Amino acid sequence: MKARTRAAAILLTPFFVLFTAVMVVPIGYAVWLSLFTEKQSGLGFGGTETVFTGLDNYTAALGDRAFREGFGVLLGYCLFYIPLLLVGALGLALLLDSALARARRFFQLALFLPHAVPGIIAALIWVYLYTPQLSPVVKAMEAGGIGFDFFSPEGALPSIVNIALWEWLGYNMVIFYAALQAIDRSVLEAATVDGAGAWRIAFSVKVPLVKASLAMVGLFTVIGSLQLFTEPLILNKGTGSAVTSTWTPNMYAYTAAFDRNDYGLAAAASVLLALTAALLSFAVTRLTGRKGKRA
Amino acid sequence: MSKPRTANVWLSKAAVNGALVLAVVYMLFPLVWLLTAATKDAGGLLAGNAFSFDGFDLDGNLSRLAEYNDGIYFHWYANSLLYAGFGALACSFVSVAAGYAFHVYDFRGKEKLFGVVLLGVLVPTTALALPMYLLASEVGVVNTYWAVLIPVLVNPFGVYLSRVFCAGYIPDEALEAARIDGAGELRAFWSIGLRMVMPGFVTVFLFQFTAIWNNFFLPLVMLSDQKLYPLSLGLYAWNSNAHAEPDFYPLVVTGSLLAVVPLVVAFVSLQRHWKAGLTAGSVK
C-alpha cells in the first residue's frame, strides 16, 4: 500500500510543481502586485519607490473610462458572437447528423480545417480580406454596390466576430456532432414511429439531449471571449481602424504594463478580468449544471 | 403515390447538402486565397485577381523568404518546432503521468485535488501571462527559451483528458497481472500503463502541439530578441512593417502559408485522434 502512495506522489509531483509555478504563484503575485504603486520619490530626482496603496489600483482601473468601455466592448462581442456560434455550430451539426447528409467525413474535415490555422494567421488573412487595396471580397462587394468599411466604428465588431466564428465554428460543430452521434438511435426511431418529422425530432428530441455539450461549449466560449486580444490587436494595426490600443480589457492590461510601465494597474486589470471569468463560469455552470448533468 | 414524396426528399436532400456546401465555401475560401496570394509578388497582390495564379512567383517569394535578414524566417520555423515539439512532448508526459495517478491510485483528498486541476482549466491564460512575465523577470528568465517553454508544460485540460483516457484504455487486470509478475508501481506505469494509453498520449500531444504552435500572447510578452521568436510573433512583426513597406506583404502571406502547412497535415492525417480528443472533452 505504501508503495502505491509513493508511486502516486512521484507521478503527480511534476504536474503540481509546474502547476504551482505557472498558475498558483502568478495569481498570488498578481494580487500582491495590484496592491502597490511605483511612485516617484521627492521631486522625481530620487528614482522610484514602491508604495503600498491598497485598493487604489482597482479604483483607478474601474475609474478609467477606457477600461470600463473595454468591458462594454466584450459584452457587445459576447452578445453578438456567442448566439451566432452556438446556433451556427449546432445547426451545422444537426444538418450533418440528418439522414440526408452526404460525404460526412469530408464536411467534418473541411469545416474543422480553419481551426488548424493559428489565430494570428487567421486574423492576418481576414484583415487582408478586409483591406480594400488587397481584397477580392471588398472589390466584389463594391461591384455589387455594397460599400462596407470593415475597420469603421460600426464595422470593427462584426469584423472581429467573423474572424472568431471562422476559427471556432467547425471545432464546436465537431463537438456537437459527436454528442448527436452518441444519442441512442432507438429514441429517434421511437419519435419517428410516434409521427415526429425531421424538424420536430431535431428540436424536441436531439437538442435537449445534447444540452450538456451546449453548456460546456458555452462555458469555454465565455472564458475564451474574455481573453480577446490577438484579433483586435491585428485590426488595431490596420490603417484607419476604430480599434484602439485599450479596446478590450486584455489590451488595456497589456498597454498599461508595456506602454505605461504601470505594473500595479496592469495587475489589477488582470485580476479583475480573472475574477470576471470566475464569476461567469460559476454562473454558467449554475444555470446549466442541473439540467445538463444527464446527457 | 410516391411521386411527390420522392420529389420532396430530393428537395430536402439538396437543401441540407447545399447548406453544408455553403458553409464549406465560407470555411475554405480564405485558405484558397492564402494559397493563391502566396504565389504573387507585391504588385500582383495589390492589383489583379487574387483567386488566380496570375503573376505566379512562388519561387521568388520563397527565395526572398529564405534570404531576408539572413533567413530569419526559417530560424523562427525551427524555434516553433522546438517550442511545440519539445513542449508538447514534455507536457503530454507530465499530463499522462498525473492522469494515470488519478485513475489508478486512491489517496486521501484525491477528488479535491482533481477539483483544483479542473479549476485550472477555467483560469484565463492571458490574464496569467502578465504576472508570469513579471515573475520571470524577477527570476531572470525573460527573453530566454525557458520563458516560453516552461509555461506550456502545464495543461490542466490535458490531465483531465488523460484521466478519461486511462479509464477507457487501461483495465485493472493488466496492472494486477504486472504486479503479480513482480513489477514495481513505476515499472507498471512505464511498461504497461503508458503503452496502453498511447492513443490518449498522442491526442494530448496533438492538442498541445497546436496550442503551442498557435501561441502568441506569451511569446509577445516574454521575448524581445528576434532570434528567439516563434513563427507567430515573427509574422506579427513583419506585418507591422507591411503598412509602411508593401514589400513585406508577400513575405507575410507566403510565410503564413508555410506556417499553416504542418498543422493542416497533422489534422488531416490524425483525424481519429482529434475527434477522440474533442469527444472525450465533451461527453463527460
Side-chain angles (χ1 to χ4, degrees), chain A residues 36 45 50 52 103 115 128 137 161 163 176 217 243 247 254 264 277 294:
Chain A
F36 293 88
F45 297 114
T50 310
F52 179 83
H115 192 73
Y128 286 14
V137 178
V161 167
I163 301 174
F176 291 145
V217 167
V243 177
W247 205 62
Y254 179 80
R294 283 182 313 133

Side-chain angles (χ1 to χ4, degrees), chain A residues 102 116 128 162 166 237 250, chain B residues 17 26-27 126 239 243 263:
Chain A
R102 298 268 158 250
Y128 286 14
N162 175 56
W166 187 74
K237 300 284 179 197
N250 227 337
Chain B
N17 291 288
Y26 167 64
M27 290 305 190
T126 52
N239 182 56
H243 302 297
L263 294 185

Side-chain angles (χ1 to χ4, degrees), chain A residues 1 3-8 10-12 14-16 18-19 21-27 29-30 33 92 95-96 98-103 105-121 124-129 131 133-137 139 161-163 165-171 174-175 178-179 182 212-213 216 219-220 223 226-230 233-234 237-239 250 253-254 257-258 263 266-267 270-271 273-274 277-278 281 295, chain B residues 9 12-13 15-17 19-21 23-24 26-31 33-34 45-51 94-95 97-102 104-107 113-114 116-117 119-128 130-135 138 150-151 153-157 159 176 179 185-186 189 207 210 213-214 216-217 220-222 232-233 235-236 239-240 242-243 248-249 252-253 255-257 259-260 263-264 267-268 271 274-275 278-279 281-284:
Chain A
M1 209 60 216
R4 294 193 184 189
T5 317
R6 216 186 52 192
I10 292 173
L11 292 173
L12 287 171
F15 175 76
F16 279 100
L18 288 163
F19 184 80
V22 304
M23 293 192 110
V24 181
V25 174
I27 291 175
Y29 191 56
L33 271 176
L92 285 172
L95 285 176
L96 202 61
S98 88
L100 301 163
R102 298 268 158 250
R105 280 176 54 127
F106 163 76
F107 280 126
Q108 266 194 85
L109 184 63
L111 293 172
F112 185 81
L113 220 45
H115 192 73
V117 176
I120 184 97
I121 292 178
L124 283 175
I125 296 174
W126 277 103
V127 165
Y128 286 14
L129 288 173
T131 305
Q133 302 91 297
L134 292 166
S135 169
V137 178
K139 279 175 199 151
V161 167
N162 175 56
I163 301 174
L165 276 177
W166 187 74
E167 286 178 80
W168 288 95
L169 204 57
Y171 179 92
V174 173
I175 293 180
S213 303
M216 194 207 63
L219 178 61
F220 282 117
I223 297 172
L226 289 179
Q227 310 191 45
L228 193 61
F229 180 80
T230 308
L233 183 72
I234 301 294
K237 300 284 179 197
T239 33
N250 227 337
Y254 179 80
F258 294 101
Y263 293 145
S270 294
V271 170
L273 194 61
S281 11
Chain B
V9 166
S12 319
K13 202 178 270 182
V16 165
N17 291 288
L20 286 169
V21 167
V24 167
Y26 167 64
M27 290 305 190
L28 294 190
F29 94 85
L31 293 175
W33 176 84
L34 182 66
L45 203 57
L46 290 163
N49 182 358
F51 286 107
V94 167
S95 303
Y100 174 89
F102 275 119
V104 172
Y105 300 110
D106 276 315
F107 48 89
L113 203 58
F114 195 65
V116 172
V117 175
L119 273 182
V121 174
L122 298 177
V123 175
T125 44
T126 52
L128 281 178
L130 209 58
M132 240 186 249
Y133 161 79
L134 297 170
L135 267 179
E138 295 272 312
I150 294 173
L153 299 182
V154 179
N155 180 356
F157 193 65
V159 176
E176 267 327 304
R179 286 181 187 127
E185 289 301 323
L186 292 178
F189 165 68
F207 278 89
T210 317
W213 192 271
N214 297 352
F216 172 68
F217 195 69
L220 174 72
V221 168
M222 292 288 190
S232 56
L233 196 53
L235 289 169
Y236 169 73
N239 182 56
S240 310
H243 302 297
F248 274 99
Y249 281 126
V252 174
V253 171
S256 297
L257 179 67
V260 168
L263 294 185
V264 170
F267 276 107
V268 172
Q271 280 192 60
W274 57 259
K275 279 181 197 160
L278 290 181
T279 322
S282 73
V283 169
K284 239 328 182 23

Side-chain angles (χ1 to χ4, degrees), chain A residues 116-118 120-122 124-125 128, chain B residues 31 33-40 45 57-68 71-78 80 213-214 230-239 247-264:
Chain A
V117 176
I120 184 97
I121 292 178
L124 283 175
I125 296 174
Y128 286 14
Chain B
L31 293 175
W33 176 84
L34 182 66
L35 193 66
T36 54
T39 67
K40 292 178 196 301
L45 203 57
D57 192 24
L58 183 58
D59 317 350
N61 284 342
L62 286 175
S63 52
R64 275 190 291 278
L65 202 58
E67 279 157 21
Y68 185 80
I72 190 127
Y73 176 83
F74 289 99
H75 202 87
W76 295 338
Y77 216 100
S80 273
W213 192 271
N214 297 352
L231 282 169
S232 56
L233 196 53
L235 289 169
Y236 169 73
W238 274 359
N239 182 56
D247 280 346
F248 274 99
Y249 281 126
L251 287 179
V252 174
V253 171
T254 310
S256 297
L257 179 67
L258 291 192
V260 168
V261 169
L263 294 185
V264 170

Side-chain angles (χ1 to χ4, degrees), chain B residues 119-188:
Chain B
L119 273 182
V121 174
L122 298 177
V123 175
T125 44
T126 52
L128 281 178
L130 209 58
M132 240 186 249
Y133 161 79
L134 297 170
L135 267 179
S137 57
E138 295 272 312
V139 187
V141 294
V142 160
N143 208 22
T144 66
Y145 279 109
W146 298 113
V148 176
L149 261 178
I150 294 173
V152 299
L153 299 182
V154 179
N155 180 356
F157 193 65
V159 176
Y160 166 79
L161 272 186
S162 300
R163 187 181 184 179
V164 173
F165 275 114
C166 284
Y169 284 101
I170 307 175
D172 293 340
E173 297 80 23
L175 294 177
E176 267 327 304
R179 286 181 187 127
I180 289 166
D181 287 348
E185 289 301 323
L186 292 178
R187 183 68 202 275

